[in-house]
Amino acid sequence: MLVLCSFIIVQAQSEKDFVKENLAFCNTQLYGMLADKSLQTNKFPRTTNAKGELTSTSMYDWTPGFFPGSLWYGYEFSKYESLKDAAIKWTEKLEPLQTFTGHHDLGFMMYCSYGNAYRLTNNESYKNILIRSAKALSTRFNSKIGCIKSWNSFKSFHGDKTYNFPVIIDNMMNLEMLFFASKVSGDPTYRNVAVTHALTTMKNHFRPDYSSYHVVCYDSVSGKVETREAAQGYADNSTWARGQAWAIYGFTMTYRETKDPRFLKTAKGLAKYFINNKNLPSDYIPIWDFNAWQKGYIPGGNSNAPNIPVLYRDASAAAITASALLELSTCTTGDEAKQFKNAAVKMLHSLGSVAYRAKAGNNGNFILMHSVGSIPHNNEIDVPLVYADYYFIEALLRYEKLLDGKKLF
Ligand code: GLY
């Protein structure tokens, strides 16, 4: 018994050391990026170019919230005031977005930045910006369909048809800001939008085995589903790895906010599809689409990416999933909880290894290598991505809390 207890204590300590070493490395890279000469004041880090140099986007793309969010996490871990100053500076650049209604990604843009800012500072002005952002996002909700419109239109890869009410699985991630806004404002509207969107997604976005479609397009007059297709995945009937990751994270978070067992059942089914998948490599970092390599999988060869070498990994999908599974492990018990936690820890150890973690000062000062933006669009293939880093840091912080016996929320 004594030997077993000593073993558990030593193992927990080595896991704590693993987390601390990785978080310290993340801060090294964040400071490296802040000092990078190619970091422009009005653009937001996203990935690297062919020369391995930092490239950035405008604030109106979907990813500007992740760099400030990572700075907040870096500050949370280290308590370094210089990181807090940088986090404030990079967060406040996004203030004009509080009334932005151009696409659905406002949750990513504002909750990763201002959400963390408010959580760590209690600054009331940040809270009000988040409420206004939730209001802006809610303008894209259609009550006949029961969903927030993701993109303004979607052009099918097959034929000429363009659809006017596409909803993508990623949209589940934008709901967290709506739940927050209702809690702090007392106005239930935002929460109702979020719950309805999640229920509609649960009905239409998944196959019986809990694999996900990427894009579901609706008819805004009848409210009915018009088509289910892929945009960033391999094919309409395949499972895009990051889409599945967004779904696991989104439904776990929605269960946290509602305690509705239907959302937990869905989160567990989605998670099991991912971690028990025969196509998941042994290091638990998925290939960019769970079916990408399966020649003949697609009836009629209806693939968006038929000529692309298909075995690229997507570290971003693993980082998002690791963070989600750590939370899901706290919503479950017994063997199920262990299964989710062990899978998350396995992903974190792979991501923290030399196979995926960059060397200090390399990789455009991003933390992780080997993510994929969109293979069918021939865009961002086998590169670092700012959101892979954000969810990696988040997952490490969550793991640290669990190792310390603390609650995540
Ligand atoms: N939300 C867009 C993506 O995951 O690529």
Side-chain angles (χ1 to χ4, degrees):
M1 188 63 180
L2 193 62
V3 175
L4 182 64
C5 285
S6 311
F7 173 72
I8 291 170
I9 291 167
V10 170
Q11 202 188 23
Q13 188 52 47
S14 85
E15 285 303 278
K16 285 186 191 182
D17 291 344
F18 162 79
V19 171
K20 283 204 180 347
E21 191 277 329
N22 271 283
L23 285 170
F25 175 79
C26 294
N27 278 357
T28 301
Q29 292 298 85
L30 286 170
Y31 275 117
M33 194 170 284
L34 286 168
D36 192 323
K37 288 198 174 50
S38 33
L39 184 66
Q40 295 165 268
T41 52
N42 57 351
K43 292 223 169 163
F44 294 79
R46 163 79 160 252
T47 181
T48 53
N49 61 20
K51 290 191 209 147
E53 299 156 339
L54 171 69
T55 62
S56 304
T57 66
S58 98
M59 75 164 82
Y60 297 101
D61 209 314
W62 72 279
T63 51
F66 295 117
F67 182 54
S70 296
L71 294 170
W72 282 116
Y73 283 145
Y75 164 65
E76 183 174 6
F77 157 64
S78 65
K79 301 290 179 290
Y80 293 151
E81 286 297 316
S82 56
L83 272 183
K84 182 180 179 184
D85 293 345
I88 291 172
K89 185 172 129 195
W90 281 89
T91 296
E92 292 184 353
K93 287 173 199 262
L94 299 179
E95 192 174 342
L97 293 177
Q98 62 189 301
T99 52
F100 178 71
T101 57
H103 53 68
H104 73 142
D105 287 313
L106 213 55
F108 283 119
M109 297 150 96
M110 299 303 261
Y111 202 65
C112 298
S113 53
Y114 279 97
N116 280 308
Y118 179 65
R119 183 174 64 82
L120 294 170
T121 64
N122 280 316
N123 180 331
E124 285 288 299
S125 72
Y126 295 161
K127 181 177 87 181
N128 293 328
I129 285 170
L130 286 161
I131 295 168
R132 284 193 283 274
S133 304
K135 192 169 181 182
L137 176 58
S138 300
T139 62
R140 297 182 67 84
F141 179 72
N142 175 313
S143 55
K144 178 79 186 170
I145 293 167
C147 274
I148 296 164
K149 180 168 164 164
S150 294
W151 302 322
N152 294 334
S153 65
F154 170 67
K155 183 163 175 355
S156 171
F157 275 80
H158 324 298
D160 281 338
K161 194 145 167 83
T162 296
Y163 296 92
N164 295 322
F165 203 105
V167 178
I168 63 172
I169 189 60
D170 325 27
N171 206 335
M172 285 299 301
M173 298 297 286
N174 293 310
L175 307 185
E176 194 167 4
M177 181 171 73
L178 300 180
F179 286 117
F180 168 85
S182 277
K183 280 187 287 195
V184 295
S185 69
D187 179 348
T189 314
Y190 313 116
R191 177 190 168 87
N192 291 342
V193 166
V195 171
T196 308
H197 182 96
L199 287 170
T200 309
T201 301
M202 207 167 70
K203 193 162 97 200
N204 294 327
H205 248 95
F206 305 123
R207 308 181 186 97
D209 64 355
Y210 285 104
S211 64
S212 51
Y213 292 98
H214 184 197
V215 190
V216 176
C217 297
Y218 294 88
D219 180 320
S220 46
V221 178
S222 70
K224 295 213 169 93
V225 171
E226 288 192 292
T227 189
R228 292 179 172 89
E229 299 194 12
Q232 282 155 270
Y234 181 60
D236 299 346
N237 63 349
S238 74
T239 302
W240 175 46
R242 193 164 60 251
Q244 192 76 10
W246 294 138
I248 299 166
Y249 193 116
F251 277 91
T252 303
M253 175 276 298
T254 302
Y255 173 67
R256 182 209 314 151
E257 295 296 338
T258 60
K259 293 290 173 280
D260 183 329
R262 290 173 296 177
F263 295 133
L264 179 60
K265 185 173 175 224
T266 302
K268 290 200 286 186
L270 294 161
K272 286 179 187 174
Y273 176 87
F274 195 115
I275 63 180
N276 297 332
N277 201 293
K278 68 178 175 13
N279 298 334
L280 184 66
S282 60
D283 64 2
Y284 277 44
I285 311 299
I287 293 163
W288 64 282
D289 185 297
F290 279 101
N291 307 102
W293 59 276
Q294 285 176 278
K295 292 212 186 325
Y297 175 73
I298 311 304
N302 189 13
S303 167
N304 295 338
N307 302 318
I308 303 277
V310 289
L311 293 178
Y312 292 108
R313 302 298 186 90
D314 186 6
S316 76
I320 297 156
T321 304
S323 186
L325 289 177
L326 288 172
E327 178 172 9
L328 190 55
S329 76
T330 67
C331 309
T332 47
T333 54
D335 285 347
E336 223 171 24
K338 267 192 216 139
Q339 193 194 2
F340 294 139
K341 186 170 163 205
N342 290 345
V345 171
K346 174 109 187 154
M347 287 171 193
L348 286 182
H349 275 271
S350 293
L351 293 173
S353 76
V354 290
Y356 294 95
R357 202 181 90 173
K359 291 203 174 70
N362 287 14
N363 202 37
N365 291 297
F366 289 98
I367 298 158
L368 297 177
M369 308 180 283
H370 306 313
S371 289
V372 159
S374 179
I375 284 192
H377 298 91
N378 201 17
N379 187 35
E380 301 176 335
I381 298 176
D382 197 18
V383 290
L385 287 168
V386 66
Y387 44 96
D389 289 3
Y390 174 87
Y391 288 102
F392 181 56
I393 309 174
E394 181 182 273
L396 288 166
L397 287 171
R398 286 182 176 191
Y399 188 30
E400 185 177 50
K401 279 191 185 156
L402 295 183
L403 288 166
D404 288 341
K406 292 186 185 150
K407 280 190 176 330
L408 294 189
F409 296 95

